[in-house]
C-alpha cells in the first residue's frame, strides 16, 4: 500500500464524498476493505483488491480496514502491523498516519468494532472471510446483489447516486487509467507486426494471442497499474468472454483485444480494438469493421445529458442493421429488424455499461446502479444483456462498445434459423467467413454539453489501425 | 482451460501417480480443484488456480471438479457447462472428453458426490467456498496446515512423499517454467538500460521498479504462463517480501528481482537476480555480491543425494560469515559466528525450499513436506526460517538463494546491537551503505550423481550480469 504524498486533495475529496452521503442517509455505515485470499497456499496470496465502496470513501487500498461513516464523520478501524512483520514487509504506515491522510476524525484498532454494529448499514464485500466478519459484527445476515433490503438497500441506492457521477479526483484517476490503456493497445498493435516478434524471447517459435497479451499487460504493469479485468486477447472474438490465449496468429485473422488498466486506487478503463494480424483488413473484414465503427461513432455523437442509454443501444442496433442491409446480409426495414431483435444475431450484448471503480461499475449491487428505479431487465433477445438503462447525466462515464460476431451457438441454433429465415441471406453471410468477431469500445464521459471520449487517443479508423500495426 | 492434444502421455503419467499413491494408502481420497473468487464484483473474478494436489493427480486446471481416487482408480466429478454459457465462453470440453484425456475410469456429475464421502480422506483447498463443500460432502470439519489428523494426515504424508520426487512429466513442465523465467530476467536486465527506456510508453517520465516488472512479467504472460507468486522487483531489497513497485531507479541502486513463471498446468520456477541500475556494481556492491555468489556456488557444488539440506543452509551461513570476516565487517572465527547466528544479522532467511507445483512446495501442509518426520523448526534466530530440513534425494527440486540484507529492523534492534557488539565492526559496515539487499537464487534439481541447475541459463557472475544490463 502506497500513500502518495503528492495527493494533498485526498482527504478533502473523501470528506466531500462522505458529506454528500450524509445528505442522503441518516444512519451509520460500516464499509470493509476486505482481505487477500490464498492462491495455492496461505502465504502465496492473490493480489489485494479493496472493495470499491471502501475505496470510494476510504481512498486507499488498505487491507483489513473498516471505515465507520456517520453524519459526515469518518472513523477508521485498522490494526497496526505487529513489529515482527517489519522484517518481511518493511515499515508500514501507522494507523494515525493513515487516519490523517484520509482525513479520519478518529482511529481505533479493529477490536473496537465489535460494540459498534447496531443499526449499521453495510455492503457485503466479495471475499467470504471478510463477509463472515461483517455478519458477525452486525449480528445479522447480509443481502447480496439484487437481494438487498432495509438500510443496506437504502445505503446502496445512496452510494450508487454518488458514485455514478464522477468528481474531479475520480476523473483524474480515470483519465490516468484511460491513458495507460491507450498505450497498452498501441503496444499490442505494434507487437503484432511480425518484424517486432522475437525481440523478447528466443523461446517462442510462433506468435500467439499470449504474445500480444504480454506486450499489452506489460505496459499496464510498467505503469504500476493492474488489469481492471481478465484481458480478452483472441483471434476468436466470437467467444465473447474468451480467456484463452494459446491460439497462434494466422495471416487472415483478426485479433480482438479487450484490455483495460486499473489505477492503484482502483479506477478502471475498458477498451477494445480489433485489428488484422497482417496489418491489412480484407475487403469483407473492412466492410464489417466499418459498420461497427459507424455504430460506435453514431452512438458517441448522440451522447449528451438526458439522452436515454437504451436509445443509444437501439441506435447501435439500427446502424448495424442498416449496414447489414446495405451489405445484403439482412433483408427488410431497419426498424422492423431491430424490433424483432435481428441485430442480436450478430450483436448479442449491450452497447455498454457504467465505468468507474469497477469495470462494470457497481455490478456488485445487481441492477441497482445500472437500472433507473422502476425499470427492470427486458427479456427480449436484443435487450436482455443491456447493463445500463438510465437517462445519461453529466459526470457519468460509460463504455460504448458495439460489435459484430458470428457466434455458432446463435447462428446454428435451429430456433433462430427458423425465426430469422426470411431476414438473413445465409449465402451472402457465408462470404464474410473471415469475420469471427469485431468490437470497438471506448470510455465516454457525459459532459454538460455533450461528451468526451477519455480513450480518444487511440485511433478507431481502419486505416489508422492498419498504420499502427505496420 | 486448454487440453493439449500433443500431450498423449498425460493419462499415463496420472495413472502412474495414482498407482503409486495406491501403494501407500488403503482408503479412498477426494481432491477438489476449487473455484474462482470474485475480485470487486461476482463476474469479475481472480484468475483460476486449481489446487496443487488436484493438479498432481488430475493433471488439468479444471474449475469446480473433484477426483475420487481409490486403489489406483480415478473417477472424475464435474458438471458440463450449461448450453447458455456457450454464447459467452465458447464450446467447452465435455465431461467425457476430459475423462478420456486424464485417463479417468468413470465420470459423473457433481451431484453424484454427495453419497460418496464416507471414510474419505482429503486436503483442504484454499478457497473457502469450496472448503465448505468439502466439509459438507465429507460431513466433518477439515484440518489445515500443521493441524492435519487421521486419514487426512496419512494422505498428506503419502502425497508429500510422491510430489517430493519429480517424475519426467513434472520435470518437463518445471524446465519450461525455468526457461521462461530465465528469459524474463534477461528482459528485466535489458529494460534497465536507460537507452531502452520509453520504447513502450511515452507516459512514463521516470524509470521505476514497475517499469522493470512490466518488462519481466510481460515475457511470462507472452509465453502463456502466469507468475508463480507476487513478484518482488525492488531497489529496497532489504524489505524481504516487498510488493511495492513505485520507487524510481537511481543510478547507485541495486535492483533485486525475485520473479518466477508458472506453467498452465501449475508448475513453478523461482529465480532471483540482483543487478546495478547503471550496469556496473560499485566496489562495495561487488564485494558483497561476490560473497553472496560464493555462498550460492558453494551450496550448489555440494548438492547431491543424502546431503542434509540443513548442512547446505549452514554452509551458506559459513561462506557469508567468512566473506564478512574477510571484508572486516565481522570479527571472530567463522564456526563461532555461525554457532551464534551472526550470519542471520544479514541473512535472516533460509537458504531455500522445495519447488514444484507450489513455489514453496506443499506449504499448505505446514512443515509436513519440508521437514523430515520427527524434526521440527528450530527456534534459533539463524535457523527458524528454514523451510526445508531433510536429506536430499534424487528427483527433489530445491531453490538455493543466499542473500545479504541490511534490514533496519534487525540492525537497529538494541538487543541485537548488544548481543553482537563484539562481532560487528559497525564503522566498517557503514562503508557498505549502498548495499541494501542482494539475493541470488536458482532452481536446483538433485540428480543421482549431483545436481542440475534448471535455471543455469541465467548468468550469476557480476561481470556477466553487467553485460546483460548494458
Amino acid at each position: 500500500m502506497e500513500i502518495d504524498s503528492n495527493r494533498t486533495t485526498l482527504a478533502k475529496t473523501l470528506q466531500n464524498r462522505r458529506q454528500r452521503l450524509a445528505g442522503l442517509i441518516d444512519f451509520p455505515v460500516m464499509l470493509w476493505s476486505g482481505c487477500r485470499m490464498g492462491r495455492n497456499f496461505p502465504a502465496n496470496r492473490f493480489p489485494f483488491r479493496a472493495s470499491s465502496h471502501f475505496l470510494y470513501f476510504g481512498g486507499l487500498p488498505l487491507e483489513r480496514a473498516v471505515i465507520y461513516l456517520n453524519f459526515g464523520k469518518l472513523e477508521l478501524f485498522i490494526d497496526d502491523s505487529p513489529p515482527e512483520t517489519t522484517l518481511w514487509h518493511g515499515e508500514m504506515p501507522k494507523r494515525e498516519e493513515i487516519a490523517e491522510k484520509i482525513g479520519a476524525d478518529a482511529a481505533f484498532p479493529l477490536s473496537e468494532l465489535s460494540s459498534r454494529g447496531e443499526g449499521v448499514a453495510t455492503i457485503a464485500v466479495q471475499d467470504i472471510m471478510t463477509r463472515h466478519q461483517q455478519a458477525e459484527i452486525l449480528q445479522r445476515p447480509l443481502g447480496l446483489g439484487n437481494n438487498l433490503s432495509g438500510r443496506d438497500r437504502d445505503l446502496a441506492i445512496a452510494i450508487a447516486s454518488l458514485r455514478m457521477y464522477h468528481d474531479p479526483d475520480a476523473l483524474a484517476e480515470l483519465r490516468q487509467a484511460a491513458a495507460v490503456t491507450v498505450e497498452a493497445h498501441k503496444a499490442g498493435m505494434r507487437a503484432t507486426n511480425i518484424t517486432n516478434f522475437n525481440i523478447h524471447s528466443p523461446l517462442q517459435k510462433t506468435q500467439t494471442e499470449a504474445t500480444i497479451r504480454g506486450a499489452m499487460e506489460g505496459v499496464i504493469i510498467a505503469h504500476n497499474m493492474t488489469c481492471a479485468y481478465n484481458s480478452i486477447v483472441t483471434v476468436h472474438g466470437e467467444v465473447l468472454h474468451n480467456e484463452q490465449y494459446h491460439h497462434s496468429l494466422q495471416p487472415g485473422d483478426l485479433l480482438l483485444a479487450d484490455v483495460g488498466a486499473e489505477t492503484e486506487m482502483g479506477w478502471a478503463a475498458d477498451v477494445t480494438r480489433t485489428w488484422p494480424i497482417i496489418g491489412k483488413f480484407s475487403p469483407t473484414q473492412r466492410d464489417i469493421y466499418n459498420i461497427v465503427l459507424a455504430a460506435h461513432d453514431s452512438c458517441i455523437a448522440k451522447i449528451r445529458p438526458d439522452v436515454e442509454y437504451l436509445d443509444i443501444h437501439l441506435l447501435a442496433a439500427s446502424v448495424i442493421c442498416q449496414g447489414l442491409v446495405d451489405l445484403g446480409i439482412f433483408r427488410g426495414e431497419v426498424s422492423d429488424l431491430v424490433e424483432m431483435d435481428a441485430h442480436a444475431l450478430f450483436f448479442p450484448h449491450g452497447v455498454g455499461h457504467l465505468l468507474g471503480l469497477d469495470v462494470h461499475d457497481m455490478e456488485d449491487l445487481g441492477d441497482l446502479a445500472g437500472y433507473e428505479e422502476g425499470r427492470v431487465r427486458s427479456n427480449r433477445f436484443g435487450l436482455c444483456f443491456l447493463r445500463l438503462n438510465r437517462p445519461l447525466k453529466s459526470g457519468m462515464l460509460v463504455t460504448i462498445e458495439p460489435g459484430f460476431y458470428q457466434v455458432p451457438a446463435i447462428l446454428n441454433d435451429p430456433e433462430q434459423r427458423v425465426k430469422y429465415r426470411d431476414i438473413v441471406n445465409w449465402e451472402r453471410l457465408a462470404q464474410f467467413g473471415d469475420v469471427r468477431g469485431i468490437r470497438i469500445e471506448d470510455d465516454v464521459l457525459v459532459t454538460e454539453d455533450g461528451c468526451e471520449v477519455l480513450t480518444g487517443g487511440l485511433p478507431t479508423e481502419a486505416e489508422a489501425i492498419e498504420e499502427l500495426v505496420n
Side-chain angles (χ1 to χ4, degrees), chain A residues 209-230:
Chain A
E209 296 158 334
T211 317
I212 310 305
R213 183 187 178 213
M216 298 180 78
E217 295 193 4
V219 169
I220 291 172
I221 298 165
H223 288 85
N224 212 12
M225 295 193 184
T226 55
C227 291
Y229 50 93
N230 296 311

Side-chain angles (χ1 to χ4, degrees), chain A residues 324-460:
Chain A
L324 296 179
V325 168
D326 294 346
L327 283 184
I329 292 172
F330 272 167
R331 298 186 195 99
E333 287 298 317
V334 165
S335 56
D336 297 342
L337 291 167
V338 173
E339 187 69 32
M340 62 191 298
D341 296 324
H343 59 277
L345 282 171
F346 300 104
F347 170 46
H349 61 73
V351 76
H353 48 79
L354 290 170
L355 179 62
L357 279 162
D358 306 307
V359 61
H360 296 164
D361 209 25
M362 299 176 273
E363 193 172 286
D364 66 315
L365 306 177
D367 281 336
L368 190 145
Y371 273 61
E372 181 90 343
E373 206 165 351
R375 298 184 187 176
V376 293
R377 294 253 184 165
S378 166
N379 53 16
R380 270 179 58 182
F381 173 46
L383 301 178
C384 60
F385 291 117
L386 190 60
R387 288 192 157 91
L388 177 57
N389 188 342
R390 286 183 175 274
L392 296 173
K393 300 284 175 196
S394 176
M396 284 171 76
L397 180 62
V398 299
T399 66
I400 292 297
E401 47 176 312
F404 173 98
Y405 318 88
Q406 298 206 46
V407 183
I410 295 175
L411 298 180
N412 299 334
D413 178 350
E415 240 178 82
Q416 309 281 25
R417 283 266 177 179
V418 170
K419 184 172 170 195
Y420 296 107
R421 79 186 140 197
D422 298 332
I423 284 166
V424 179
N425 180 338
W426 297 102
E427 277 119 60
R428 178 68 177 136
L429 178 64
Q431 296 169 0
F432 293 82
D434 66 349
V435 185
R436 291 194 287 257
I438 291 173
R439 179 164 64 252
I440 307 172
E441 175 181 27
D442 276 306
D443 303 344
V444 184
L445 178 71
V446 185
T447 58
E448 283 187 15
D449 53 359
C451 70
E452 177 193 346
V453 184
L454 298 193
T455 48
L458 191 64
T460 51

Side-chain angles (χ1 to χ4, degrees), chain A residues 114-406:
Chain A
S114 58
S115 59
R116 306 286 291 275
E118 213 186 301
V120 164
T122 197
I123 309 286
V125 300
Q126 294 301 303
D127 75 273
I128 299 177
M129 194 90 94
T130 303
R131 218 185 271 169
H132 285 325
Q133 290 166 12
Q134 291 182 283
E136 200 183 306
I137 299 284
L138 303 186
Q139 305 212 321
R140 59 181 175 83
L142 302 180
L144 291 173
N146 283 322
N147 297 315
L148 295 172
S149 62
R151 285 188 168 178
D152 289 352
R153 187 163 192 280
D154 295 342
L155 170 63
I157 291 170
I159 289 180
S161 75
L162 296 176
R163 283 182 54 187
M164 206 166 319
Y165 311 104
H166 297 298
D167 59 35
D169 199 64
L171 270 175
E173 291 274 331
L174 290 161
R175 284 180 198 281
Q176 282 181 37
V180 168
T181 301
V182 165
E183 293 307 319
H185 278 261
K186 287 181 180 171
M189 292 177 195
R190 282 195 296 266
T192 310
N193 190 322
I194 196 75
T195 59
N196 293 331
F197 184 53
N198 253 339
I199 57 169
H200 289 305
S201 169
L203 296 175
Q204 286 202 303
K205 288 180 196 70
T206 53
Q207 226 183 356
T208 65
E209 296 158 334
T211 317
I212 310 305
R213 183 187 178 213
M216 298 180 78
E217 295 193 4
V219 169
I220 291 172
I221 298 165
H223 288 85
N224 212 12
M225 295 193 184
T226 55
C227 291
Y229 50 93
N230 296 311
S231 300
I232 300 169
V233 183
T234 183
V235 292
H236 287 282
E238 79 280 10
V239 178
L240 298 182
H241 287 178
N242 210 330
E243 288 187 21
Q244 300 192 339
Y245 313 100
H246 64 282
H247 300 104
S248 64
L249 306 185
Q250 301 299 332
D253 285 340
L254 292 176
L255 186 79
L256 185 155
D258 187 346
V259 176
E262 179 180 293
T263 68
E264 274 189 280
M265 301 305 160
W267 299 86
D270 183 3
V271 169
T272 308
R273 287 294 185 273
T274 309
W275 61 85
I277 297 302
I278 50 164
K280 195 158 175 61
F281 290 96
S282 75
T284 41
Q285 288 170 344
R286 188 178 304 263
D287 283 343
I288 303 284
Y289 186 89
N290 283 334
I291 291 174
V292 176
L293 182 59
H296 167 274
D297 291 352
S298 307
C299 289
I300 291 175
K302 202 176 167 190
I303 287 182
R304 54 171 50 249
D306 301 323
V307 169
E308 286 285 349
Y309 193 76
L310 173 62
D311 290 337
I312 301 288
H313 176 73
L314 290 170
L315 175 60
S318 293
V319 174
I320 288 167
C321 285
Q322 181 65 60
L324 296 179
V325 168
D326 294 346
L327 283 184
I329 292 172
F330 272 167
R331 298 186 195 99
E333 287 298 317
V334 165
S335 56
D336 297 342
L337 291 167
V338 173
E339 187 69 32
M340 62 191 298
D341 296 324
H343 59 277
L345 282 171
F346 300 104
F347 170 46
H349 61 73
V351 76
H353 48 79
L354 290 170
L355 179 62
L357 279 162
D358 306 307
V359 61
H360 296 164
D361 209 25
M362 299 176 273
E363 193 172 286
D364 66 315
L365 306 177
D367 281 336
L368 190 145
Y371 273 61
E372 181 90 343
E373 206 165 351
R375 298 184 187 176
V376 293
R377 294 253 184 165
S378 166
N379 53 16
R380 270 179 58 182
F381 173 46
L383 301 178
C384 60
F385 291 117
L386 190 60
R387 288 192 157 91
L388 177 57
N389 188 342
R390 286 183 175 274
L392 296 173
K393 300 284 175 196
S394 176
M396 284 171 76
L397 180 62
V398 299
T399 66
I400 292 297
E401 47 176 312
F404 173 98
Y405 318 88
Q406 298 206 46

Side-chain angles (χ1 to χ4, degrees), chain A residues 51-129:
Chain A
S51 144
S52 295
H53 304 296
F54 177 92
L55 283 172
Y56 190 73
F57 294 102
L60 298 175
L62 306 163
E63 263 183 85
R64 298 175 189 274
V66 182
I67 51 175
Y68 180 93
L69 303 170
N70 202 13
F71 295 109
K73 298 280 181 204
L74 165 66
E75 292 172 62
L76 171 69
F77 294 79
I78 192 168
D79 288 342
D80 283 332
S81 318
E84 62 269 24
T85 65
T86 310
L87 166 60
W88 301 97
H89 300 282
E91 285 290 343
M92 305 301 267
K94 297 272 179 265
R95 181 191 304 124
E96 294 304 329
E97 293 170 57
I98 298 169
E100 196 191 328
K101 183 76 198 160
I102 67 174
D105 298 282
F108 307 97
L110 286 167
S111 57
E112 299 284 315
L113 260 187
S114 58
S115 59
R116 306 286 291 275
E118 213 186 301
V120 164
T122 197
I123 309 286
V125 300
Q126 294 301 303
D127 75 273
I128 299 177
M129 194 90 94

